[in-house]
Amino acid sequence: MSDAPAPETDERRDRLVEVLRSELGDRVVDSLVKPGDDVWVRVATDAWQETGRVLRDALRCNFFDFLSAIDWLPSPFGKSEDSPLDQRPALSTDIVTGYAGGETRFQVFARVTSLPERVSITVKADVPLEDLAVDTWSAIYSGANWHEREIHEMYGIGFRGHPYLAHIYLPGDFEGHPLRKDFPLLARHVKPWPGIVDVEPMPDEGDDAEAEGDAAAEGAE
Amino acid sequence: MILGLHLAYWQTSVIRSLGVLVAVLLPAGTFVYIFLFKMVSFMQSRLGPMEAGPYGSMQLLAEVGKFIQKEDIVPDNADRRLFKLAPYLVVATVLLVYLVVPFGPKMRFVNFDGGIFYALAVSSISALGVLIAGWASANKYSLMGGLRAAGQLIAYELPMVLAVVGVVIQAGTMNLSGIVAAQANGKMFGFGGLGNPYFITQFVGMVIFLIAVQAELTQTPFDMPIAESELVTGYITEYSGMRFLLFFIAEFAAVGSFAAVAATLFMGGWAVPGIKFDSGVMNVLGPIVLMAKMTLIAGVIFFVRFTYPRFREDQLQKFAWTILIPVALANILVTTVLKVAF
Amino acid sequence: MTAISDRQKLAYVNAQAADGRVNLEFETEEGMTLNMGPQHPATHGTLRIVAKLDGEQVIHCEPVMGYMHRGYEKLLEVRTYPQVNTLVNRIDWLGSFTNEVPFILASEKLMGVEAPPRAQWIRTILFELGRIANISLFLGDTALHMGGMTAAFYAFRDREFVLNQIEAVTGGRFHPNFDRIGGLKDDFPKGWIADTKAVMARLRDFCDEIEDLVVGNEIFQARTRGIGIIPGDIAQSYGLSGANLRASGVDWDLRRDVPVGLAWDQCDWTVWTHPDGDSFSRYWVRLQEVREATKIVDQLCDGLPSGPIMAKVPRIIKVPEGEAWVATENPLGEMGYYVVSKGDLGPFRVKIRTASFNNISVIPWVTRGVYVPDVISILASLYFILGDIDR
């Protein structure tokens, strides 16, 4: 609603990054500050837990927003955005990460807020595929406990030192990690999404052949 | 015997049996319709049942029909014999209380000198039925409900008895007919125009008695044993069909029986000022007068039930032992002193 | 309102912890486990609470959820941006419109689109109506959990008027699906503003009624005061938000503190806090919140600017690459969407941060050593909606 142009610099958010850099040294890999809007910081995997501690103790970011993860692999099933009538575009398998960069397919990210400063920060960390785990935040932010359980079952990312890493939403014997991009959304495989152009395909030769095949199968029985 | 008729023993027995059923079911049904269906609906800005009969007055029969049709389920792990016995035990105690309540000079089932003692003793047997129901259901909620009920009924039995002691001292008798007579013939500090209804001279006793009744009947704010939002209706969780209906009848019949006892103890029973209390006409008028007084008391009970939230179990015990019982003892003391003084 | 001193609070917390420890030492194999739910009247749906009991005292209490998990985060990855609205409506189903707003705002932020002022004001009005519809039900429902049945019916009665107003604008009582990227689907119907102001006056009466019937009731106070105390720092660490945070004495309201473009800064209202952090203060803060919301709606209705309700947006919405987080102060607390876009028609990844998930994560902490009925009153006062936990 404000018509004023965004300020060029943002002292509060720059300070966050500065403090993190001075506490963690070169384990702060990358950062991005959007003045007047938001700040992203990427830290090294082994500095994840310490980042939380610095955020809580040095930066007074006491309020825990969320902790989550992301799978940067483009979905091998496409996004089903187009009508089945159209040619599916070739699917890319390049991993392109978002703000503050990244080198691995999986990243964990968390957001905490400093209530007195009225400023929030998103911190990210890469999770290497060969050792899919980071240290837990649950001792630093109590609320992270459940969020880490959720990430564990949804992405299969482990959290070292977590007191009780059991399934939280899914049944205990559920196999697979649903939020990974290579986990198929079965509903879409059973009945394809009509796509943004809401047109059902007309019955064509292929369908007829299939129907005949069914009839033949029934006859055989 | 009654109204100049002479009947054989078996005939009077049949009439008495039917009389008890009428005395139990009529007030219970009336209270359920007037208070549970209608008054509460109006308090909560809704209409209540409107379809069965005029203004839904036949709704209760429909409910009874529904419950009788339903399957009578006994849980697998339940103690079958006790599970089936419990509702009958609870209903029986309610029926037994009515035996000593007088409805007129001669309209009574028995004339028993230890009347009020008997009524309180019998009514507390229902705690046993509730405990059996809670245990036999093999359900943790039921068990907790049963235990809560037992603790609560024991805790509130005492203030109730103590509250009644004040009346007994003042009336000089434990016979309920005698208490009615004492109120009708009594004088309040020399003024005898209205008799001496004890709700004036035994006001403290009546308040304690009614609070204890609220707890005995497990009505809100003392409804922890059934507490639907905590214990999913406690000891009746596992009951269905006819047996649930029995618990339901017992609950509201017990409201009737306690209202009858309270009306007799504190509001002059079947007597009404202006008519000689033991004239023959009171045999017909008496039941109606008593019913009106019962309705008044039941109205208070239900009004409280639907206005207040629920205490916690430990707060309830604390309330009984630290407030009600000392006050009741003080009431006895004062009554005794005044009785001797006047 | 007399405050409980810090010292008393500390004593309570310590005593609770000590009770928990003592009971753990005496715990045997026979310690009773009570399963509340998934079908239990006090759990608003299918939350399950497994409580280890010693008599009526809770030794340990663990919520189990997932009985209603619908996998929205996965589903949103195969939706286009406009289609997301329909799904997220079902997260907090009592104040549905409030779920749409942060997602739409996040998308707009990524696209660099800004809705015209009138649209922002109407959004704010509907947002606050959603809050009133949601919290007024809480006010009655909490009393119901403590056995006070009548307040619940009053709440249902008066919420109906608010729902009517929402329906008159959006056509849906529960799931408006009304917000669009760049503005709104429609404008207010004729005569709506006058009706709404009458309804707001009625709601203020309802608040007074609740204040008499519930807040002033001695039994209600006995059941809630000093029960389930959550100190402010614990609340922050668990990420409690909304009224739960403010009832712990933390003065934080996203509507005031993190402007997202809606019209809250245009009117005069108060953020109420309560120093106690117990069940009673959570109830009290929410009651004040409804009052403030009626004030906000009144003021916004008076000053509603004229103009278009839709900005210029392309017919097929493609959101440029980027990441954005927008959170708003929903009836249940802070609700936010972390949207990652790769320049497609639909989002690449959406992290939905719902308030109830964090709010009830404090349950194992706060229920140590309390009695079973207190579990109910604490649950009710923390106020969760199952769709908001399970998403």
Side-chain angles (χ1 to χ4, degrees), chain B residues 259-272:
Chain B
V261 171
T264 308
L265 288 177
F266 297 103
M267 300 178 79
W270 43 266
V272 60

Side-chain angles (χ1 to χ4, degrees), chain B residues 37-330:
Chain B
F37 286 170
K38 283 302 177 185
M39 181 184 85
V40 166
S41 301
F42 294 142
M43 278 171 75
Q44 295 171 348
S45 61
R46 56 195 172 94
L47 283 175
M50 291 297 281
E51 296 297 326
Y55 296 96
S57 52
M58 296 294 122
Q59 180 68 29
L60 194 60
L61 295 180
E63 300 275 351
V64 169
K66 178 188 79 178
F67 278 122
I68 289 174
Q69 289 169 35
K70 282 194 172 181
E71 188 189 352
D72 183 18
I73 300 167
V74 182
D76 270 354
N77 293 330
D79 188 332
R80 296 184 75 86
R81 205 179 299 163
L82 288 179
F83 185 83
K84 290 183 170 177
L85 172 76
Y88 294 104
L89 193 60
V90 175
V91 169
T93 59
V94 180
L95 296 177
L96 289 171
V97 171
Y98 271 103
L99 283 184
V100 290
V101 176
F103 295 91
K106 287 192 174 151
M107 280 291 278
R108 60 190 171 210
F109 300 108
V110 284
N111 187 15
F112 183 28
D113 277 341
I116 183 61
F117 173 74
Y118 164 86
L120 294 179
V122 163
S123 70
S124 58
I125 295 176
S126 74
L128 217 56
V130 168
L131 200 54
I132 289 175
W135 172 254
S137 297
N139 178 324
K140 286 170 184 169
Y141 289 116
S142 300
L143 179 62
M144 285 174 75
L147 291 175
R148 282 182 181 191
Q152 172 174 336
L153 297 185
I154 290 166
Y156 279 81
E157 202 65 34
L158 196 54
M160 189 185 252
V161 171
L162 293 177
V164 170
V165 167
V167 173
V168 172
I169 290 171
Q170 205 169 353
T173 173
M174 294 217 287
N175 188 327
L176 283 168
S177 297
I179 290 173
V180 172
Q183 292 182 70
N185 297 332
K187 287 185 173 62
M188 279 182 291
F189 307 107
F191 171 71
L194 292 173
N196 181 12
Y198 290 155
F199 70 87
I200 296 172
T201 45
Q202 279 291 327
F203 184 75
V204 178
M206 187 180 79
V207 170
I208 293 171
F209 187 81
L210 284 182
I211 291 174
V213 161
Q214 198 83 9
E216 286 275 315
L217 296 171
T218 63
Q219 305 281 4
T220 325
F222 306 106
D223 68 336
M224 304 79 172
I226 48 173
E228 69 276 24
S229 59
E230 295 158 23
L231 298 185
V232 214
T233 64
Y235 59 87
I236 40 182
T237 305
E238 297 290 351
Y239 283 90
S240 60
M242 190 62 195
R243 279 170 227 285
F244 177 82
L245 180 66
L246 285 175
F247 271 118
F248 188 80
I249 291 174
E251 184 183 348
F252 291 98
V255 173
S257 73
F258 275 109
V261 171
T264 308
L265 288 177
F266 297 103
M267 300 178 79
W270 43 266
V272 60
I275 304 176
K276 196 167 179 308
F277 85 100
D278 53 355
S279 62
V281 70
M282 285 313 286
N283 281 327
V284 182
L285 203 57
I288 299 167
V289 171
L290 187 68
M291 181 72 193
K293 290 176 178 176
M294 281 161 69
T295 310
L296 201 65
I297 289 175
V300 173
I301 290 174
F302 283 103
F303 194 89
V304 172
R305 168 179 171 155
F306 287 101
T307 307
Y308 281 95
R310 175 188 311 127
F311 272 119
R312 209 170 55 207
E313 188 65 17
D314 59 323
Q315 291 168 339
L316 159 125
Q317 297 283 351
K318 215 175 188 175
F319 184 64
W321 294 103
T322 61
I323 299 177
L324 286 186
I325 291 175
V327 172
L329 287 170

Side-chain angles (χ1 to χ4, degrees), chain C residues 118 165 168-169 186-196:
Chain C
R118 186 175 173 88
Q165 290 311 104
V169 185
D186 229 333
D187 208 332
F188 284 146
K190 213 174 154 189
W192 188 86
I193 286 179
D195 289 355
T196 306

Side-chain angles (χ1 to χ4, degrees), chain C residues 148-222:
Chain C
M149 197 193 267
T150 305
F153 283 93
Y154 289 176
F156 275 107
R157 180 193 67 196
D158 284 339
R159 185 183 70 135
E160 206 65 11
F161 296 102
V162 182
L163 290 183
N164 287 345
Q165 290 311 104
I166 295 175
E167 187 189 10
V169 185
T170 65
R173 293 163 69 77
F174 272 89
H175 301 302
N177 198 9
F178 193 64
D179 215 350
R180 299 287 184 268
I181 291 173
L184 291 161
K185 180 172 169 287
D186 229 333
D187 208 332
F188 284 146
K190 213 174 154 189
W192 188 86
I193 286 179
D195 289 355
T196 306
K197 292 181 84 171
V199 169
M200 289 304 112
R202 206 189 155 106
L203 258 293
R204 277 189 286 272
D205 288 350
F206 163 71
C207 288
D208 295 343
E209 210 167 27
I210 286 287
E211 182 123 41
D212 281 353
L213 186 66
V214 182
V215 175
N217 188 303
E218 291 81 3
I219 298 177
F220 180 80
Q221 295 205 5

Side-chain angles (χ1 to χ4, degrees), chain B residues 27-40:
Chain B
T30 317
F31 296 160
V32 168
Y33 174 67
I34 295 180
F35 298 120
L36 193 68
F37 286 170
K38 283 302 177 185
M39 181 184 85
V40 166

